[in-house]
Amino acid sequence: MSKNFKKNLLSLILIFAMLFTFSGCATTNPNQSNSNNQTSQTTKTSDNSGKIKIGFSFDTLNLERWQHDRDYFVQRAKELGADVLVQSANSDSQTQYSQCQNLIAQGIKVLVIIPHDGSAIAPIVEEAHKAGVKVLAYDRLIMNADVDAYVSFDNEKVGELQAEYITKLVPKGNYFLLEGSPTDNNAKLFEQGQKKVLQPLVDKGDIKIVGEQWAQDWLTQNAYNIMQNALTANNNKIDAVVDANDSTALGAIRALQEQNLAGKVAISGQDADLANCQLIVEGKQSMTVYKPVKEEATKGADVAIALAKGEDINANGKVNNGKIDVPSVLLTPVAVDKNNMVDTIIKDGFHSLDEVYKNVPKDQWPKQ
């Protein structure tokens, strides 16, 4: 075989090999294109399914209270034909901001936010609006932003109920105020309501406020530390604690118990958490403020759907957030103690009789 023949044969082999490679590429591209078309079609089908998509950003789901809100909200939204994407920020402002951006990118129509920090989250409202997304502040107000709607309870009234109840139990004496998280606008409203009731009694000299502290992130441990220090600073001479919510009340009661003062020092709460309802019927916590969360969550879902459809939210008030008067749906809180526990929390099915009275001898259970 001549050298020229060998060269020509090798050239032909190389040419065929190159043609085969290009042919393979040509057959791959249509398949890739089909794959992309299928992805695009799936997304399009999902977007045009007729379902409203709602994003719900929680400050945290570590508190029992918010777990109830999530479940009731999602249930109501599903009844109305909507899907809900839920995110929890674990009490971190930056995480919440990033999660909200992610929810917006997923094509939601409405963004519902329980802000960790009502001021830090404010810029997300403008981002949402640029993407055509409405923003609903749920339970806690978003500050200095063009929020579309707000659903909550009358939070000043919450503080009033707490102070009114405790001052009836303890008309005179040393008071300690254990407030909530300083980043939560609601905590400031609770304090305002409390002081509306307390200040006239302070002015009269009937009560003395021996201290006031704020529990970061509403954490039980933070409240425990605060109460321990308050008792030490006042030689245990504290007659009443106006406490802003139940998770912080748990910490305060633990500190009181260590000094054999649980049940002797009047203490308020809020949210009707199960552990606190148990403490109330056991006589270790005086009261809680029950905010029927099923009503709030149901109303929240209704408002979110109305916003998505461009319909009236049926606001019954407005709350100023430092920039605008936000159209608001405000619900009424209820003071609960051992005397009306059955007629409120248990009757509503928020907790069962068995759960609330599990630590009480059965012969002392109320008759239903």
mmCIF file of all heavy atoms in Angstrom, residues 138-179:
data_model
loop_
_atom_site.group_PDB
_atom_site.id
_atom_site.type_symbol
_atom_site.label_atom_id
_atom_site.label_comp_id
_atom_site.label_asym_id
_atom_site.label_seq_id
_atom_site.Cartn_x
_atom_site.Cartn_y
_atom_site.Cartn_z
ATOM 1 N N TYR A 138 -49.172 42.046 58.658
ATOM 2 C CA TYR A 138 -50.030 41.177 59.466
ATOM 3 C C TYR A 138 -49.611 41.246 60.929
ATOM 4 O O TYR A 138 -48.452 40.975 61.263
ATOM 5 C CB TYR A 138 -49.943 39.739 58.957
ATOM 6 C CG TYR A 138 -50.829 38.752 59.687
ATOM 7 C CD1 TYR A 138 -52.124 38.514 59.241
ATOM 8 C CD2 TYR A 138 -50.380 38.073 60.810
ATOM 9 C CE1 TYR A 138 -52.950 37.607 59.899
ATOM 10 C CE2 TYR A 138 -51.199 37.172 61.479
ATOM 11 C CZ TYR A 138 -52.482 36.944 61.018
ATOM 12 O OH TYR A 138 -53.297 36.053 61.679
ATOM 13 N N ASP A 139 -50.520 41.626 61.768
ATOM 14 C CA ASP A 139 -50.370 41.720 63.222
ATOM 15 C C ASP A 139 -49.420 42.833 63.653
ATOM 16 O O ASP A 139 -49.705 43.574 64.586
ATOM 17 C CB ASP A 139 -49.936 40.393 63.830
ATOM 18 C CG ASP A 139 -50.186 40.366 65.338
ATOM 19 O OD1 ASP A 139 -51.351 40.199 65.740
ATOM 20 O OD2 ASP A 139 -49.229 40.542 66.101
ATOM 21 N N ARG A 140 -48.263 42.958 63.004
ATOM 22 C CA ARG A 140 -47.301 44.014 63.321
ATOM 23 C C ARG A 140 -47.178 44.970 62.138
ATOM 24 O O ARG A 140 -47.063 44.537 60.993
ATOM 25 C CB ARG A 140 -45.921 43.422 63.637
ATOM 26 C CG ARG A 140 -45.897 42.437 64.788
ATOM 27 C CD ARG A 140 -44.508 41.816 64.893
ATOM 28 N NE ARG A 140 -44.418 40.836 65.969
ATOM 29 C CZ ARG A 140 -43.374 40.047 66.177
ATOM 30 N NH1 ARG A 140 -42.319 40.133 65.371
ATOM 31 N NH2 ARG A 140 -43.363 39.179 67.179
ATOM 32 N N LEU A 141 -47.151 46.242 62.436
ATOM 33 C CA LEU A 141 -47.122 47.246 61.384
ATOM 34 C C LEU A 141 -45.722 47.395 60.787
ATOM 35 O O LEU A 141 -44.717 47.299 61.493
ATOM 36 C CB LEU A 141 -47.578 48.589 61.962
ATOM 37 C CG LEU A 141 -47.909 49.710 60.988
ATOM 38 C CD1 LEU A 141 -48.977 49.283 59.993
ATOM 39 C CD2 LEU A 141 -48.351 50.958 61.750
ATOM 40 N N ILE A 142 -45.674 47.612 59.469
ATOM 41 C CA ILE A 142 -44.435 47.971 58.784
ATOM 42 C C ILE A 142 -44.372 49.494 58.750
ATOM 43 O O ILE A 142 -45.324 50.156 58.324
ATOM 44 C CB ILE A 142 -44.393 47.402 57.355
ATOM 45 C CG1 ILE A 142 -44.448 45.872 57.404
ATOM 46 C CG2 ILE A 142 -43.148 47.878 56.604
ATOM 47 C CD1 ILE A 142 -44.647 45.213 56.054
ATOM 48 N N MET A 143 -43.268 50.050 59.211
ATOM 49 C CA MET A 143 -43.163 51.490 59.415
ATOM 50 C C MET A 143 -42.623 52.214 58.180
ATOM 51 O O MET A 143 -41.834 51.667 57.411
ATOM 52 C CB MET A 143 -42.253 51.776 60.613
ATOM 53 C CG MET A 143 -42.661 51.037 61.890
ATOM 54 S SD MET A 143 -44.374 51.340 62.392
ATOM 55 C CE MET A 143 -44.282 53.086 62.814
ATOM 56 N N ASN A 144 -43.077 53.481 58.036
ATOM 57 C CA ASN A 144 -42.521 54.408 57.027
ATOM 58 C C ASN A 144 -42.473 53.814 55.620
ATOM 59 O O ASN A 144 -41.453 53.892 54.918
ATOM 60 C CB ASN A 144 -41.114 54.865 57.454
ATOM 61 C CG ASN A 144 -41.139 55.612 58.772
ATOM 62 O OD1 ASN A 144 -41.838 56.609 58.923
ATOM 63 N ND2 ASN A 144 -40.404 55.101 59.755
ATOM 64 N N ALA A 145 -43.572 53.215 55.218
ATOM 65 C CA ALA A 145 -43.658 52.616 53.880
ATOM 66 C C ALA A 145 -45.101 52.667 53.391
ATOM 67 O O ALA A 145 -46.035 52.800 54.190
ATOM 68 C CB ALA A 145 -43.161 51.170 53.918
ATOM 69 N N ASP A 146 -45.275 52.560 52.078
ATOM 70 C CA ASP A 146 -46.611 52.639 51.476
ATOM 71 C C ASP A 146 -47.309 51.273 51.524
ATOM 72 O O ASP A 146 -47.635 50.677 50.489
ATOM 73 C CB ASP A 146 -46.512 53.130 50.030
ATOM 74 C CG ASP A 146 -46.017 54.565 49.950
ATOM 75 O OD1 ASP A 146 -46.510 55.404 50.726
ATOM 76 O OD2 ASP A 146 -45.131 54.848 49.115
ATOM 77 N N VAL A 147 -47.516 50.790 52.731
ATOM 78 C CA VAL A 147 -48.153 49.480 52.928
ATOM 79 C C VAL A 147 -49.601 49.541 52.425
ATOM 80 O O VAL A 147 -50.301 50.533 52.646
ATOM 81 C CB VAL A 147 -48.125 49.096 54.424
ATOM 82 C CG1 VAL A 147 -48.746 47.736 54.646
ATOM 83 C CG2 VAL A 147 -46.692 49.130 54.944
ATOM 84 N N ASP A 148 -50.030 48.475 51.756
ATOM 85 C CA ASP A 148 -51.373 48.470 51.168
ATOM 86 C C ASP A 148 -52.471 48.227 52.198
ATOM 87 O O ASP A 148 -53.571 48.763 52.070
ATOM 88 C CB ASP A 148 -51.445 47.407 50.061
ATOM 89 C CG ASP A 148 -50.503 47.727 48.917
ATOM 90 O OD1 ASP A 148 -50.788 48.686 48.180
ATOM 91 O OD2 ASP A 148 -49.470 47.043 48.780
ATOM 92 N N ALA A 149 -52.179 47.418 53.222
ATOM 93 C CA ALA A 149 -53.205 47.109 54.222
ATOM 94 C C ALA A 149 -52.547 46.557 55.480
ATOM 95 O O ALA A 149 -51.399 46.095 55.458
ATOM 96 C CB ALA A 149 -54.215 46.104 53.658
ATOM 97 N N TYR A 150 -53.311 46.587 56.556
ATOM 98 C CA TYR A 150 -52.831 46.125 57.863
ATOM 99 C C TYR A 150 -53.978 45.400 58.557
ATOM 100 O O TYR A 150 -55.094 45.905 58.635
ATOM 101 C CB TYR A 150 -52.382 47.346 58.680
ATOM 102 C CG TYR A 150 -51.947 47.104 60.102
ATOM 103 C CD1 TYR A 150 -51.054 46.093 60.438
ATOM 104 C CD2 TYR A 150 -52.393 47.941 61.130
ATOM 105 C CE1 TYR A 150 -50.629 45.904 61.745
ATOM 106 C CE2 TYR A 150 -51.966 47.773 62.443
ATOM 107 C CZ TYR A 150 -51.094 46.757 62.747
ATOM 108 O OH TYR A 150 -50.672 46.575 64.042
ATOM 109 N N VAL A 151 -53.695 44.180 59.032
ATOM 110 C CA VAL A 151 -54.674 43.409 59.802
ATOM 111 C C VAL A 151 -54.071 43.104 61.159
ATOM 112 O O VAL A 151 -52.975 42.548 61.251
ATOM 113 C CB VAL A 151 -55.052 42.088 59.090
ATOM 114 C CG1 VAL A 151 -55.950 41.235 59.978
ATOM 115 C CG2 VAL A 151 -55.748 42.372 57.768
ATOM 116 N N SER A 152 -54.769 43.492 62.227
ATOM 117 C CA SER A 152 -54.249 43.266 63.559
ATOM 118 C C SER A 152 -55.364 43.447 64.581
ATOM 119 O O SER A 152 -56.541 43.572 64.229
ATOM 120 C CB SER A 152 -53.106 44.248 63.856
ATOM 121 O OG SER A 152 -52.449 43.897 65.060
ATOM 122 N N PHE A 153 -54.963 43.457 65.843
ATOM 123 C CA PHE A 153 -55.876 43.800 66.920
ATOM 124 C C PHE A 153 -55.592 45.235 67.349
ATOM 125 O O PHE A 153 -54.579 45.816 66.963
ATOM 126 C CB PHE A 153 -55.686 42.835 68.094
ATOM 127 C CG PHE A 153 -56.258 41.474 67.833
ATOM 128 C CD1 PHE A 153 -55.510 40.524 67.155
ATOM 129 C CD2 PHE A 153 -57.537 41.142 68.243
ATOM 130 C CE1 PHE A 153 -56.033 39.265 66.889
ATOM 131 C CE2 PHE A 153 -58.065 39.890 67.986
ATOM 132 C CZ PHE A 153 -57.314 38.948 67.306
ATOM 133 N N ASP A 154 -56.487 45.782 68.140
ATOM 134 C CA ASP A 154 -56.266 47.103 68.720
ATOM 135 C C ASP A 154 -55.206 46.928 69.800
ATOM 136 O O ASP A 154 -55.500 46.536 70.932
ATOM 137 C CB ASP A 154 -57.583 47.634 69.304
ATOM 138 C CG ASP A 154 -57.451 49.043 69.854
ATOM 139 O OD1 ASP A 154 -56.315 49.457 70.158
ATOM 140 O OD2 ASP A 154 -58.483 49.712 70.005
ATOM 141 N N ASN A 155 -53.955 47.194 69.435
ATOM 142 C CA ASN A 155 -52.835 46.837 70.302
ATOM 143 C C ASN A 155 -52.673 47.756 71.513
ATOM 144 O O ASN A 155 -52.152 47.326 72.543
ATOM 145 C CB ASN A 155 -51.556 46.757 69.476
ATOM 146 C CG ASN A 155 -51.580 45.568 68.533
ATOM 147 O OD1 ASN A 155 -51.802 44.445 68.961
ATOM 148 N ND2 ASN A 155 -51.392 45.809 67.251
ATOM 149 N N GLU A 156 -53.106 48.992 71.395
ATOM 150 C CA GLU A 156 -53.135 49.837 72.582
ATOM 151 C C GLU A 156 -54.128 49.281 73.600
ATOM 152 O O GLU A 156 -53.886 49.302 74.807
ATOM 153 C CB GLU A 156 -53.492 51.288 72.213
ATOM 154 C CG GLU A 156 -52.365 52.249 72.518
ATOM 155 C CD GLU A 156 -52.745 53.696 72.343
ATOM 156 O OE1 GLU A 156 -53.521 54.234 73.167
ATOM 157 O OE2 GLU A 156 -52.247 54.309 71.387
ATOM 158 N N LYS A 157 -55.239 48.781 73.081
ATOM 159 C CA LYS A 157 -56.267 48.193 73.943
ATOM 160 C C LYS A 157 -55.713 46.984 74.687
ATOM 161 O O LYS A 157 -56.071 46.731 75.848
ATOM 162 C CB LYS A 157 -57.485 47.794 73.106
ATOM 163 C CG LYS A 157 -58.655 47.236 73.910
ATOM 164 C CD LYS A 157 -59.246 48.284 74.830
ATOM 165 C CE LYS A 157 -60.459 47.743 75.567
ATOM 166 N NZ LYS A 157 -60.962 48.722 76.575
ATOM 167 N N VAL A 158 -54.851 46.223 74.038
ATOM 168 C CA VAL A 158 -54.206 45.069 74.692
ATOM 169 C C VAL A 158 -53.490 45.532 75.962
ATOM 170 O O VAL A 158 -53.658 44.957 77.040
ATOM 171 C CB VAL A 158 -53.211 44.364 73.747
ATOM 172 C CG1 VAL A 158 -52.380 43.327 74.503
ATOM 173 C CG2 VAL A 158 -53.948 43.698 72.594
ATOM 174 N N GLY A 159 -52.685 46.577 75.828
ATOM 175 C CA GLY A 159 -51.955 47.106 76.975
ATOM 176 C C GLY A 159 -52.888 47.625 78.062
ATOM 177 O O GLY A 159 -52.624 47.446 79.261
ATOM 178 N N GLU A 160 -53.965 48.246 77.644
ATOM 179 C CA GLU A 160 -54.948 48.753 78.616
ATOM 180 C C GLU A 160 -55.564 47.601 79.411
ATOM 181 O O GLU A 160 -55.709 47.682 80.639
ATOM 182 C CB GLU A 160 -56.047 49.536 77.895
ATOM 183 C CG GLU A 160 -55.602 50.875 77.335
ATOM 184 C CD GLU A 160 -56.701 51.554 76.538
ATOM 185 O OE1 GLU A 160 -57.889 51.250 76.776
ATOM 186 O OE2 GLU A 160 -56.376 52.379 75.662
ATOM 187 N N LEU A 161 -55.930 46.530 78.713
ATOM 188 C CA LEU A 161 -56.542 45.372 79.382
ATOM 189 C C LEU A 161 -55.587 44.775 80.412
ATOM 190 O O LEU A 161 -55.997 44.387 81.510
ATOM 191 C CB LEU A 161 -56.939 44.312 78.352
ATOM 192 C CG LEU A 161 -58.123 44.637 77.431
ATOM 193 C CD1 LEU A 161 -58.276 43.548 76.372
ATOM 194 C CD2 LEU A 161 -59.415 44.780 78.222
ATOM 195 N N GLN A 162 -54.315 44.690 80.042
ATOM 196 C CA GLN A 162 -53.321 44.135 80.967
ATOM 197 C C GLN A 162 -53.224 44.981 82.236
ATOM 198 O O GLN A 162 -53.293 44.468 83.367
ATOM 199 C CB GLN A 162 -51.948 44.064 80.270
ATOM 200 C CG GLN A 162 -51.884 43.049 79.158
ATOM 201 C CD GLN A 162 -50.646 43.186 78.289
ATOM 202 O OE1 GLN A 162 -50.047 44.269 78.190
ATOM 203 N NE2 GLN A 162 -50.238 42.103 77.647
ATOM 204 N N ALA A 163 -53.066 46.288 82.055
ATOM 205 C CA ALA A 163 -52.893 47.180 83.210
ATOM 206 C C ALA A 163 -54.163 47.297 84.041
ATOM 207 O O ALA A 163 -54.107 47.344 85.278
ATOM 208 C CB ALA A 163 -52.436 48.552 82.729
ATOM 209 N N GLU A 164 -55.312 47.332 83.376
ATOM 210 C CA GLU A 164 -56.586 47.427 84.103
ATOM 211 C C GLU A 164 -56.776 46.216 85.012
ATOM 212 O O GLU A 164 -57.193 46.346 86.170
ATOM 213 C CB GLU A 164 -57.753 47.542 83.120
ATOM 214 C CG GLU A 164 -57.889 48.920 82.483
ATOM 215 C CD GLU A 164 -58.868 48.930 81.324
ATOM 216 O OE1 GLU A 164 -59.413 47.837 80.979
ATOM 217 O OE2 GLU A 164 -59.081 50.013 80.740
ATOM 218 N N TYR A 165 -56.476 45.038 84.486
ATOM 219 C CA TYR A 165 -56.667 43.819 85.270
ATOM 220 C C TYR A 165 -55.731 43.797 86.478
ATOM 221 O O TYR A 165 -56.160 43.523 87.609
ATOM 222 C CB TYR A 165 -56.428 42.585 84.400
ATOM 223 C CG TYR A 165 -56.862 41.302 85.075
ATOM 224 C CD1 TYR A 165 -58.090 40.732 84.796
ATOM 225 C CD2 TYR A 165 -56.049 40.674 86.015
ATOM 226 C CE1 TYR A 165 -58.505 39.563 85.429
ATOM 227 C CE2 TYR A 165 -56.446 39.529 86.658
ATOM 228 C CZ TYR A 165 -57.673 38.966 86.360
ATOM 229 O OH TYR A 165 -58.081 37.811 87.007
ATOM 230 N N ILE A 166 -54.461 44.093 86.250
ATOM 231 C CA ILE A 166 -53.475 44.010 87.327
ATOM 232 C C ILE A 166 -53.728 45.081 88.397
ATOM 233 O O ILE A 166 -53.587 44.817 89.598
ATOM 234 C CB ILE A 166 -52.040 44.123 86.764
ATOM 235 C CG1 ILE A 166 -51.749 42.948 85.810
ATOM 236 C CG2 ILE A 166 -51.011 44.141 87.891
ATOM 237 C CD1 ILE A 166 -51.868 41.569 86.426
ATOM 238 N N THR A 167 -54.134 46.285 87.976
ATOM 239 C CA THR A 167 -54.375 47.348 88.975
ATOM 240 C C THR A 167 -55.622 47.067 89.815
ATOM 241 O O THR A 167 -55.712 47.534 90.955
ATOM 242 C CB THR A 167 -54.505 48.727 88.308
ATOM 243 O OG1 THR A 167 -55.482 48.676 87.261
ATOM 244 C CG2 THR A 167 -53.167 49.181 87.742
ATOM 245 N N LYS A 168 -56.547 46.303 89.272
ATOM 246 C CA LYS A 168 -57.704 45.898 90.088
ATOM 247 C C LYS A 168 -57.278 44.878 91.142
ATOM 248 O O LYS A 168 -57.779 44.875 92.263
ATOM 249 C CB LYS A 168 -58.808 45.321 89.200
ATOM 250 C CG LYS A 168 -59.595 46.390 88.449
ATOM 251 C CD LYS A 168 -60.645 45.781 87.537
ATOM 252 C CE LYS A 168 -61.353 46.861 86.732
ATOM 253 N NZ LYS A 168 -62.291 46.290 85.728
ATOM 254 N N LEU A 169 -56.353 44.004 90.760
ATOM 255 C CA LEU A 169 -55.848 43.013 91.719
ATOM 256 C C LEU A 169 -54.929 43.657 92.765
ATOM 257 O O LEU A 169 -54.975 43.298 93.941
ATOM 258 C CB LEU A 169 -55.041 41.928 90.976
ATOM 259 C CG LEU A 169 -55.772 40.749 90.356
ATOM 260 C CD1 LEU A 169 -54.745 39.775 89.781
ATOM 261 C CD2 LEU A 169 -56.661 40.036 91.343
ATOM 262 N N VAL A 170 -54.111 44.573 92.266
ATOM 263 C CA VAL A 170 -53.117 45.212 93.153
ATOM 264 C C VAL A 170 -53.234 46.734 92.981
ATOM 265 O O VAL A 170 -52.512 47.335 92.181
ATOM 266 C CB VAL A 170 -51.685 44.738 92.810
ATOM 267 C CG1 VAL A 170 -50.680 45.295 93.815
ATOM 268 C CG2 VAL A 170 -51.601 43.231 92.745
ATOM 269 N N PRO A 171 -54.154 47.382 93.729
ATOM 270 C CA PRO A 171 -54.373 48.819 93.557
ATOM 271 C C PRO A 171 -53.196 49.674 94.009
ATOM 272 O O PRO A 171 -53.043 50.808 93.561
ATOM 273 C CB PRO A 171 -55.606 49.110 94.425
ATOM 274 C CG PRO A 171 -56.176 47.786 94.792
ATOM 275 C CD PRO A 171 -55.079 46.791 94.707
ATOM 276 N N LYS A 172 -52.384 49.138 94.899
ATOM 277 C CA LYS A 172 -51.230 49.883 95.408
ATOM 278 C C LYS A 172 -50.017 48.952 95.497
ATOM 279 O O LYS A 172 -50.169 47.760 95.747
ATOM 280 C CB LYS A 172 -51.531 50.467 96.795
ATOM 281 C CG LYS A 172 -52.646 51.507 96.802
ATOM 282 C CD LYS A 172 -52.855 52.077 98.194
ATOM 283 C CE LYS A 172 -53.956 53.135 98.163
ATOM 284 N NZ LYS A 172 -54.161 53.759 99.503
ATOM 285 N N GLY A 173 -48.832 49.552 95.319
ATOM 286 C CA GLY A 173 -47.629 48.737 95.480
ATOM 287 C C GLY A 173 -46.561 49.020 94.440
ATOM 288 O O GLY A 173 -46.675 49.952 93.635
ATOM 289 N N ASN A 174 -45.535 48.174 94.464
ATOM 290 C CA ASN A 174 -44.402 48.297 93.540
ATOM 291 C C ASN A 174 -44.674 47.499 92.267
ATOM 292 O O ASN A 174 -44.959 46.288 92.321
ATOM 293 C CB ASN A 174 -43.124 47.783 94.195
ATOM 294 C CG ASN A 174 -42.632 48.699 95.302
ATOM 295 O OD1 ASN A 174 -42.996 49.876 95.359
ATOM 296 N ND2 ASN A 174 -41.796 48.174 96.183
ATOM 297 N N TYR A 175 -44.545 48.173 91.138
ATOM 298 C CA TYR A 175 -44.823 47.566 89.834
ATOM 299 C C TYR A 175 -43.541 47.464 89.006
ATOM 300 O O TYR A 175 -42.726 48.388 89.007
ATOM 301 C CB TYR A 175 -45.825 48.413 89.054
ATOM 302 C CG TYR A 175 -47.283 48.098 89.323
ATOM 303 C CD1 TYR A 175 -47.811 48.175 90.609
ATOM 304 C CD2 TYR A 175 -48.134 47.727 88.289
ATOM 305 C CE1 TYR A 175 -49.137 47.903 90.863
ATOM 306 C CE2 TYR A 175 -49.472 47.448 88.528
ATOM 307 C CZ TYR A 175 -49.966 47.535 89.811
ATOM 308 O OH TYR A 175 -51.291 47.255 90.045
ATOM 309 N N PHE A 176 -43.422 46.354 88.286
ATOM 310 C CA PHE A 176 -42.338 46.214 87.309
ATOM 311 C C PHE A 176 -42.968 46.000 85.938
ATOM 312 O O PHE A 176 -43.900 45.194 85.794
ATOM 313 C CB PHE A 176 -41.424 45.039 87.645
ATOM 314 C CG PHE A 176 -40.215 44.950 86.752
ATOM 315 C CD1 PHE A 176 -39.089 45.721 87.008
ATOM 316 C CD2 PHE A 176 -40.211 44.129 85.630
ATOM 317 C CE1 PHE A 176 -37.974 45.672 86.169
ATOM 318 C CE2 PHE A 176 -39.110 44.066 84.787
ATOM 319 C CZ PHE A 176 -37.990 44.847 85.066
ATOM 320 N N LEU A 177 -42.477 46.718 84.934
ATOM 321 C CA LEU A 177 -42.996 46.588 83.568
ATOM 322 C C LEU A 177 -42.015 45.774 82.728
ATOM 323 O O LEU A 177 -40.872 46.184 82.533
ATOM 324 C CB LEU A 177 -43.207 47.963 82.929
ATOM 325 C CG LEU A 177 -44.038 48.984 83.708
ATOM 326 C CD1 LEU A 177 -44.297 50.224 82.863
ATOM 327 C CD2 LEU A 177 -45.350 48.381 84.184
ATOM 328 N N LEU A 178 -42.492 44.624 82.258
ATOM 329 C CA LEU A 178 -41.664 43.757 81.408
ATOM 330 C C LEU A 178 -42.239 43.827 79.991
ATOM 331 O O LEU A 178 -43.248 43.192 79.676
ATOM 332 C CB LEU A 178 -41.685 42.328 81.944
ATOM 333 C CG LEU A 178 -40.831 41.275 81.224
ATOM 334 C CD1 LEU A 178 -39.439 41.787 80.906
ATOM 335 C CD2 LEU A 178 -40.749 40.011 82.056
ATOM 336 N N GLU A 179 -41.598 44.629 79.176
ATOM 337 C CA GLU A 179 -42.101 44.889 77.830
ATOM 338 C C GLU A 179 -41.519 43.902 76.816
ATOM 339 O O GLU A 179 -40.614 43.137 77.130
ATOM 340 C CB GLU A 179 -41.785 46.333 77.416
ATOM 341 C CG GLU A 179 -42.299 47.397 78.378
ATOM 342 C CD GLU A 179 -43.820 47.453 78.506
ATOM 343 O OE1 GLU A 179 -44.523 46.753 77.755
ATOM 344 O OE2 GLU A 179 -44.314 48.185 79.385
#
